[in-house]
Amino acid sequence: MVRPLTLGELPPGYTPPARSAAPQILAGSLQVPLWLRAYFQGLLFSLGCRIQRHCGKVLFLGLVAFGALALGLRVAVIETDLEQLWVEVDSRVSRELHYTKEKLGEEAAYTSQMLIQTARQEGGSVLTPEALGLHLQAALTASKVQVSLYGKSWDLNKICYKSGVPLIENGMIERMIEKLFPCVILTPLDCFWEGAKLQGGSAYLPGRPDIQWTNLDPQQLLEELGPFASLEGFRELLEKAQVGQAYMGRPCLDPDDQHCPPSAPNYHSRQAPNVAQELSGGCHGFSHKFMHWQEELLLGGTARDLHGQLLRAEALQSTFLLMSPRQLYEHFRGDYQTHDIGWSEEQASTVLQTWQRRFVQLAQEALPANASQQIHAFSSTSLDDILLEFSEVSAPRVAGGYLLMLAYACVTMLRWDCAQSQGAVGLAGVLLVALAVASGLGLCALLGITFNAATTQVLPFLALGIGVDDIFLLAHAFTKAPPDTPLPERTGECLRRMGTSVALTSINNMVAFFMAVLVPIPALRAFSLQAAIVVGCNFAAVMLVFPAILSLDLRRRHRQRLDVLCCFSSPCSAQVIQILPQELGDRTVPVGVAHLTATVQAFTHCEASSQHVVTILPPQTHLMSPPSDPLGSELYSPGGSTRDLLGQEEGTRPKAACKSLLCAHWTLAHFARYRLAPLLLQTQAKALVLAIFGALLGLSLYGATLVQDGLALTDVVPRGTKEHAFLSAQLRYFSLYEVALVTQGGFDYAHSQRALFDLHQRFSSLKAVLPPPATQAPRTWLHYYRSWLQGIQAAFDQDWAAGRITRHSYRNGSEDGALAYKLLIQTGNAQEPLDFNQLTSRKLVDKEGLIPPELFYMGLTVWVSSDPLGLAASQANFYPPPPEWLHDKYDTTGENLRIPAAQPLEFAQFPFLLHGLRKTADFVEAIKGARAACSEAGQAGVRAYPSGPPFLFWEQYLGLRRCLLLAVCILLVCTFLVCALLSLNPWTAGLIVLVLAMMTVELFGIMGFLGIKLSAIPVVILVASVGIGVEFTVHVALGFLTTQGSRTLRAACALEQTFAPVAHGAVSTLLGLLMLAGSNFDFIIRYFFMVLTVLTLLGLLHGLVLLPVLLSILGPPPQVVQMYKESAQVLSPAAPLGGGGLRWGMPPTLPQSFARVTTSMTVALHPPPLPGAYIHPASDEPTYSPAATLAADTSGSLRTGGPGPGPATE
């Protein structure tokens, strides 16, 4: 296309140039790209024409198809399991987790309920009897919770986790022990007699009051029961467990309590105990050997003196352990209490969840509001409830967001002239995008992609903002169609002009979200897949269904119906006057250019009789040159609307006139042409823009160094809630994590004992591992097993030396001596299983502390059956479990002497506690140390891996930044290829990718300044920012590529044509994100709303400020140049007419010309078919047969058309 000349630039004696034989196009390699783009746009043109011819059918079928897909939402599944959401897919951790579940099952051994007590006054100490008394009050209230479900009452004693309940052959004693056996409660109250009050079990014996832990002395009870039952084995079990007097020998917090036992150390003195001294080093449950609660589990914020004595603590913690749903189901399956209710695992889960919610509620209400202490309660159900609430769709926010978008689309597309107004199109477009989003999510549900909080809280708004961008773009292009476009080709011309841009942005968005699947976190992978599918559905709706809506609206405009209220006719139907000069004489008319335009003055008034707008052109003597253009008249005048025709008739008339508001003349395109482009494209302004964005980039690089890794639960839970208060206190005072070192199968445990001990030692030496007290042996199954064997060996040696055990009899020996006797004679040979000569020639544990390999698995069977408390304390979780074996000292038959060997182990674990993990760097350091220890053990033949929450949820940070860099780099390369393929210009694609890379770096840096930590969620947004950024850049780049003139002119042209749709798209995206600001979760506001808002603003600035400047400096050459060659011959100026007007005419050899008035008051000069003047309505557009001519317009399309009498536009 040539530079459009104004009337003021035409010399009076202008000679039209001769038309060249063919269009002049840039030669060389660009011919193929232009042909390819023309072919692609031809397909879009054909698609648009077909849609326009069958718009009703297309709209109906499209709505039916999208509506059917939306029904898939009925089968959507919301995932709230943290492991399923956050454990890396196909990673080392996921394989280890799968192995654990394969061997042990899906559930953990127990669930935890926690109470944390802190002083209301910051820094206050809790090591006082009063503070412990308030803690007892809260814990006692929580422990007495009862819920009624399925016609039964459920209390703590029924559902709590009990560790190591022994098997007793005496039925009466077994039932009594089952009722009395204590729940596992880790509490500082266990240092005192009051800890017994939390245990709710009781038993009855004739002749004495109910037996409870507050009055139970196990030693005294065994003495009373001794004459009635043989309890020697049970007595030895209690002695090994160091049960002693249980709680009866511990001091009373309140010595004045009437139930305080006389055996309490401070019973007679009636003095309150020294709380700090009693709690120093931790507390014990009823077993001193196996139930030691370390101080770090009970006290937080401790301070000590120079000698290490405990002085103060700021927090207390009690932990109640409950059975898992599976354990509870198995425990009561077949029991008389549940036989009539159809007991199931789902019912067991409901019982536990109901009890936990009641536990938290009562614990938080246990202390009065004016108490000096405060209680924070939390349970595993509390976390599930938070995640469930987090994942629920907020119907008011979704409705509010879409209503706001409807209002914005309608208002921005409304015009004073109903023939140009598109308010109904805006409403229908937003509703169509909403349906496309629903259909995309429904398709995801049908494909089995689970939903999560990111899907329900963010995606509906993000997809709405992105989808409406293309709606604005197509609607804007539809109103800017060339004036000579036939009515049946309007939709085809719109798709040809803007279809490439829509396809480019949508494909890049889909590629961006598909690339985000590289992030191996299931929740974010599902979110990325769902976003990509939703964007694809939006693309299909915009390219197929929305053109049908535009076609239907075109019919409404053709029939002069009101916008929105399309059933009513317009009160002011616009008419356009085509003027054909009757007498031209010898005046010269400039012809021979592709599209010569000039602006003239006209006057309009309303005819009272016909209610039509009549436009009157002034006489030729009143034609005047247009005002000066800020860019030297280099730009096309912006396409306006019919409201630009509404002016006042010259002179004063008493009739009412259709006046236009002054603000009606102002448009975004007008602002871009007359304000932004002239200011932005000056040399000084370019330098300033480059300096500002360079400084922003440098500042962002510094901000990138401030970004820390991590995502804590306190970031997810809403601030100001009780759950957030608990998590904050826990993170501050009790940053402890239970982990396990798992040993797998595939190696011989019996011959790898030394390697197992070395592995345990290496793991124990890690900085983050909480060491056991110096007086306590390591709490692992291998140590407990070896210690137990050494104990029974010592008992055997004593019995052998005393003669109680001989070669042929062990009946007079002790229980432990008899067990050792049976083990020592085992050979492991099926043919000769027993060898009595080994009684004195071998030991159960050799001098190096190792168990003989031939005895290892037989001894494991005996230990598991004989030492339930030690086994429970070790948390070994053997798989396959060793067989049950009952020892009877008085049965000396051969069968009783044979001990079945356990199967080779495939799973066992060593428990550990990690402490001091508050920052992500602490977790990463601990994970690296644990992995290094396992790697060293692997070299010794031991297959092992660490397991626990830190490894499940924090190991992703080991490679998260590498994953981010890889995904962004691959996506930038893909974006370059897509842009180069569709724009067919690598130069342009390179500039787009440069701007996108700058946006990504700047967004990452701004995250650092905002204090937003890097986790999988910001990584997905950073990756998606590349695709979203294309929305703001590609339209400007394509507009620049397909216009003519200097770089500055082409940049200004592109800016003028794309400023309005890009700005509207940005505002629509911000409106979609605005609803995220109303979320109850601070996490949504910080990690989604703030980040995406910054991304949108960066995209707007880079697309409409930086990119035009870069294009004006480094932009590629145009792909097309002027259609026809201009002749340099210019006639000498003619004598001006009287009145000072411009004289213009044509030689007698040229065809006659006519003038056509368009809505922008532009006069175009073309050879007319016939002289004369006539009037026709604006919507009556005569058809013509265009000649195939290659041309490029400012919006990036290649259209076919030729000179001839085109129709007037509305």
Side-chain angles (χ1 to χ4, degrees), residues 61-320:
L61 293 177
L63 294 178
V64 170
F66 285 117
L69 288 177
L71 294 177
L73 288 172
R74 300 179 61 182
V75 298
V77 176
I78 297 179
E79 183 62 73
T80 58
D81 186 355
L82 278 178
E83 291 182 359
Q84 297 297 325
L85 290 173
W86 289 102
V87 177
E88 297 180 69
V89 178
D90 298 327
S91 65
R92 174 174 58 187
V93 174
S94 65
R95 292 191 295 269
E96 293 166 353
L97 182 63
H98 175 75
Y99 184 85
T100 301
K101 290 184 176 182
E102 180 184 3
K103 303 304 179 183
L104 298 185
E106 293 290 330
E107 293 182 343
Y110 50 79
T111 60
S112 300
Q113 283 56 238
M114 290 164 282
L115 299 180
I116 293 180
Q117 176 179 319
T118 59
R120 292 190 182 275
Q121 183 179 359
E122 181 68 21
S125 178
V126 295
L127 298 185
T128 63
E130 294 77 13
L132 264 295
L134 291 175
H135 193 75
L136 172 64
Q137 180 180 340
L140 192 59
T141 301
S143 67
K144 300 303 180 184
V145 168
Q146 289 189 355
V147 295
S148 296
L149 286 173
Y150 313 114
K152 311 294 179 182
S153 179
W154 305 89
D155 57 17
L156 177 63
N157 196 51
K158 287 184 178 180
I159 64 176
C160 70
Y161 176 74
K162 298 181 179 182
S163 174
V165 181
L167 297 177
I168 306 297
E169 294 183 3
N170 188 301
M172 181 190 71
I173 302 299
E174 183 180 9
R175 287 191 296 271
M176 185 179 67
I177 291 177
E178 182 180 356
K179 292 181 179 180
L180 279 176
F181 203 85
C183 300
V184 178
I185 304 175
L186 290 70
T187 174
L189 297 171
D190 273 349
C191 282
F192 308 94
W193 166 78
E194 279 79 1
K197 293 184 177 181
L198 303 182
Q199 304 294 341
S202 63
Y204 173 74
L205 284 178
R208 59 173 300 165
D210 286 349
I211 303 174
Q212 298 178 346
W213 281 101
T214 53
N215 59 16
L216 173 60
D217 184 340
Q219 294 177 346
Q220 181 181 355
L221 179 64
L222 289 178
E223 291 177 1
E224 295 178 359
L225 294 177
F228 306 99
S230 176
L231 299 175
E232 182 180 352
F234 186 55
R235 186 192 306 274
E236 291 187 4
L237 177 67
L238 295 182
E239 290 178 355
K240 290 180 182 179
Q242 301 175 8
V243 173
Q245 291 182 298
Y247 293 95
M248 301 297 286
R250 304 178 188 183
C252 296
L253 270 175
D254 181 12
D256 296 327
D257 189 327
Q258 59 179 350
H259 300 292
C260 180
S263 56
N266 61 341
Y267 174 80
H268 298 287
S269 64
R270 298 294 176 178
Q271 293 183 356
N274 186 333
V275 174
Q277 182 179 350
E278 295 294 337
L279 292 177
S280 181
C283 301
H284 296 85
F286 79 97
S287 168
H288 278 254
K289 181 177 180 180
F290 297 121
M291 295 183 176
H292 176 250
W293 322 136
Q294 290 180 253
E295 180 184 309
E296 290 80 1
L297 289 170
L298 309 177
L299 303 179
T302 58
R304 300 179 182 275
D305 60 16
L306 297 177
H307 303 287
Q309 297 296 319
L310 182 64
L311 295 179
R312 57 192 303 276
E314 297 181 9
L316 300 171
Q317 178 175 254
S318 291
T319 304
F320 296 73

Side-chain angles (χ1 to χ4, degrees), residues 822-865:
K822 293 181 179 181
L823 277 174
L824 288 170
I825 63 176
Q826 305 296 318
T827 64
N829 189 336
Q831 301 298 328
E832 297 181 0
L834 305 178
D835 184 359
F836 295 93
N837 295 324
Q838 298 178 153
L839 285 171
T840 56
S841 62
R842 72 189 305 183
K843 297 290 185 182
L844 297 179
V845 179
D846 63 20
K847 296 179 180 180
E848 296 181 358
L850 301 180
I851 304 168
E854 63 274 11
L855 283 178
F856 185 85
Y857 285 109
M858 287 181 287
L860 193 64
T861 299
V862 178
W863 175 62
V864 168
S865 302

Side-chain angles (χ1 to χ4, degrees), residues 1048-1110:
T1048 300
L1049 169 62
R1050 293 160 58 210
C1053 246
L1055 190 60
E1056 175 191 358
Q1057 292 296 325
T1058 59
F1059 184 86
V1062 171
H1064 284 310
V1067 174
S1068 67
T1069 302
L1070 291 175
L1071 288 177
L1073 299 175
L1074 184 61
M1075 291 300 100
L1076 298 179
S1079 174
N1080 296 327
F1081 293 88
D1082 184 66
F1083 169 77
I1084 293 292
I1085 298 174
R1086 286 175 54 81
Y1087 283 82
F1088 283 100
F1089 171 72
M1090 291 177 63
V1091 176
L1092 289 172
T1093 299
V1094 170
L1095 171 60
T1096 304
L1097 296 178
L1098 286 176
L1100 195 63
L1101 292 175
H1102 285 73
L1104 298 181
V1105 178
L1106 177 62
L1107 184 57
V1109 171
L1110 290 177

Side-chain angles (χ1 to χ4, degrees), residues 767-768 915-928:
K767 175 184 175 182
H915 70 124
L917 304 182
R918 291 181 172 84
K919 298 180 180 179
T920 303
D922 301 330
F923 286 94
V924 171
E925 180 183 359
I927 291 170
K928 289 181 178 179

Side-chain angles (χ1 to χ4, degrees), residues 882-893:
E884 290 186 2
W885 180 78
L886 292 178
H887 165 62
D888 186 356
K889 188 176 70 170
Y890 300 100
D891 186 356
T892 59
T893 61

